[in-house]
Amino acid sequence: MVTAERPAAEGAQADATLSERFARFVAGLVFAELPPAVTEKARICLLHQLGMGLAAHGIACVGQAAHIAAREQARPAATMLHGGERTSAMNAAFANGALFHARVQDDTHHTAHLGTAVISAALAVAEERGASGADLLAAMVAGYEIAGGLSREYTALTTPRGIRATGVFGVIAAAAAAAKLMRLNEADTAHALGIAAGFACGTSEPFGAGSPEFHFNNGQAAKNGILAAIMAEEGVTAASTAFEGVAGYLQAYAGDRTEPFRAAAELGQTFEILNVNLKPLPVCAGNQVPVRNAKILAERIGDISQVQSIRIEMNPYEANHPGIAGYGPFRNRVNTLMSTPFCVALGLLGTEITLAAMESYDDPGVRRLVGLSKVVAADDLRMLQSRITVRLLDGSEFENTLALGERDWRPTFAQEAGLLSAMNAEMPIDAERLRDLVEHVQNIGEAASVDQLVRLCVAYQTEQ
């Protein structure tokens, strides 16, 4: 267990507000005391997010975010990985957050993509402040742990209200990481987190509407988290009850502040970074399992031309998420990556799930299968489970229920390196440089700074 401000009086802890409890953990976290499994998972998350960023440079939002950040002409303190231009830590975090989320193949904690916010914020501040690789990992763990506790307890309440989990929890992760790297004391860290609570924002409407602005929400969460830490560093204070107050964060976003301290109950024990899943495919997290399930069924069915109907059952939380029950017409990749019928159609056809495949909007085979599909909420299924029933023209039916295990979602470092190697053709770097990046991330805890890590990730592509 990692403790904070040792020894802490039990009475003081009992009287502490939620932001103060969070701050005590963040300020007291010591990298050398972290369990090996936690530091290894931090390296895996870092490698995954950097790799997904490298494989996303051709997507429009990436260049747009870099251009938006560059317009400010801020003090060159941190690097935008797309193009290599230097700007302020806040602007670099904004651009890199959008880059990391461009493929939507990032990590997930329930419905929050915490890595896109916490890693982009931590990397920018670490570069600006000259922090070590160990400092970077410690800040990441702090961010994942604080935001993960909130996500664990409240995402089931916030997401159904139309509130975007990454914008609400990611900004807290970014603020915690930034505060750690800025070496704020416990009191100022509490203020940084309280300020960040007021900066949370984002809705899930773009998923249903099929619009791309959600990519930038992740970058904004990272930027806002850094801003909150800078404000605290400058002496700005926040309400001590910013989270649990009668008109605070929990009431505003979750509509529930009855047991606020549950989010801090397992700090340094559970380590929420260990509960983070990494997406193997560039589609919505809820569509990862249905695609795999459809591929299994396709092998049993054989002749897909004989399909008469497709019933896709999902946990109600997923089935009712905006965009999931999307039947077209499909006009962009936002429509298709969210649409379970589209993703299942690709799986039944045996199509490799790539960015190009997600843009096959008018493929007649895909359109036919989508038109035969129906998404149904099933109370007996847990999240990340899938049941698909395919009925053929002759009346025969094929049904399969699929639930993937932790090994499918939580790869080892070597497995993650293998995934990135298989994606190397989509990256603007060669195999040798990718191997160098993998090796550097593996040993990042020993690096004196993050400068070499940044150099290995920069792609000089500015045509977007």
Side-chain angles (χ1 to χ4, degrees):
M1 173 181 176
V2 175
T3 56
E5 198 183 81
R6 296 177 299 272
E10 292 185 7
Q13 177 69 9
D15 294 336
T17 66
L18 187 52
S19 57
E20 291 167 348
R21 296 178 192 214
F22 284 157
R24 183 169 295 134
F25 172 80
V26 172
L29 188 149
V30 178
F31 177 76
E33 297 179 4
L34 291 171
V38 172
T39 56
E40 177 70 358
K41 184 60 178 288
R43 285 190 288 268
I44 294 169
C45 288
L46 178 61
L47 180 62
H48 181 84
Q49 205 61 78
L50 294 174
M52 293 308 126
L54 281 167
H57 282 272
I59 300 173
C61 70
V62 173
Q64 291 168 337
H67 289 162
I68 290 167
R71 289 175 62 174
E72 192 172 313
Q73 298 181 329
R75 179 175 66 88
T79 305
M80 294 187 287
L81 301 183
H82 179 82
E85 188 170 348
R86 289 171 61 79
T87 182
S88 68
M90 285 193 293
N91 284 347
F94 170 77
N96 293 339
L99 169 68
F100 290 160
H101 193 47
R103 288 180 64 94
V104 302
Q105 199 174 345
D106 27 41
D107 66 32
T108 63
H109 184 279
H110 295 283
T111 51
H113 304 296
L114 298 180
T116 58
V118 71
I119 294 175
S120 53
L123 187 61
V125 177
E127 185 181 6
E128 178 189 52
R129 301 292 172 117
S132 68
D135 293 335
L136 172 68
L137 293 178
M140 285 174 51
V141 172
Y144 274 109
E145 186 72 349
I146 298 303
L150 291 167
S151 171
R152 179 190 67 229
E153 298 298 332
Y154 294 104
T155 191
L157 298 176
T158 58
T159 299
R161 291 159 68 102
I163 297 169
R164 182 129 196 262
T166 306
V168 172
F169 305 124
V171 66
I172 309 299
K180 185 67 177 173
L181 287 161
M182 292 178 186
R183 303 186 184 279
L184 300 188
N185 61 29
E186 187 178 311
D188 288 339
T189 298
H191 290 308
L193 295 172
I195 294 167
F199 286 172
C201 63
T203 75
S204 298
E205 179 61 18
F207 300 133
S211 54
E213 72 269 28
F214 70 90
H215 293 293
F216 303 91
N217 180 237
N218 298 47
Q220 190 64 37
K223 181 176 182 177
N224 281 352
I226 296 174
L227 176 59
I230 291 174
M231 289 171 64
E233 188 178 43
E234 288 292 324
V236 179
T237 60
S240 62
T241 51
F243 287 93
E244 71 271 26
V246 64
Y249 174 95
L250 297 180
Q251 180 62 37
Y253 295 109
D256 182 0
R257 60 186 188 92
T258 54
E259 297 182 67
F261 301 125
R262 293 180 308 181
E266 299 178 24
L267 293 176
Q269 300 175 39
T270 300
F271 283 107
E272 289 297 333
I273 195 171
L274 298 176
N275 296 323
V276 167
N277 294 331
L278 277 63
K279 293 184 188 178
L281 302 171
V283 298
C284 175
N287 290 331
Q288 304 279 326
V289 179
V291 167
R292 293 273 292 271
N293 200 1
K295 288 181 177 290
I296 293 170
L297 279 169
E299 295 178 358
R300 292 168 50 189
I301 294 169
D303 187 0
I304 299 300
S305 68
Q306 297 302 301
V307 172
Q308 183 183 60
S309 65
I310 305 167
R311 180 182 174 89
I312 308 167
E313 296 178 83
M314 308 173 71
N315 176 273
Y317 185 88
E318 294 171 321
N320 295 321
H321 194 278
I324 288 293
Y327 302 99
F330 302 107
R331 299 183 178 88
N332 56 46
R333 194 169 57 87
V334 180
N335 294 145
T336 59
L337 70 89
M338 293 303 306
S339 167
T340 304
F342 186 94
C343 293
V344 165
L346 293 182
L348 289 172
L349 291 169
T351 304
E352 184 180 359
I353 309 300
T354 62
L355 291 182
M358 302 312 296
E359 295 175 355
S360 57
Y361 313 128
D362 297 318
D363 181 279
V366 173
R367 290 175 61 186
R368 187 182 79 86
L369 292 177
V370 169
L372 300 175
S373 299
K374 182 178 182 180
V375 174
V376 178
D379 291 329
D380 64 311
L381 294 179
R382 298 193 304 273
M383 286 184 64
L384 302 179
Q385 290 187 342
S386 163
R387 181 164 55 239
I388 301 177
T389 305
V390 178
R391 183 178 179 85
L392 303 187
L393 293 172
D394 63 7
S396 59
E397 288 189 348
F398 294 82
E399 179 182 300
N400 195 59
T401 301
L402 182 63
L404 301 182
E406 286 189 3
R407 291 184 179 181
D408 296 289
W409 295 106
R410 301 171 188 176
T412 64
F413 191 91
Q415 289 170 334
E416 179 62 31
L419 172 65
L420 299 189
S421 179
M423 296 172 59
N424 195 189
E426 298 182 74
M427 302 177 183
I429 63 172
D430 59 23
E432 181 179 1
R433 186 167 164 194
L434 179 58
R435 286 193 295 269
D436 288 344
L437 173 61
V438 170
E439 181 179 357
H440 192 75
V441 173
Q442 179 69 78
N443 300 302
I444 190 63
E446 302 168 13
S449 74
V450 300
D451 294 347
Q452 178 62 10
L453 179 66
V454 170
R455 282 193 290 269
L456 288 169
C457 292
V458 168
Y460 293 98
Q461 292 191 0
T462 58
E463 67 274 15
Q464 289 293 328

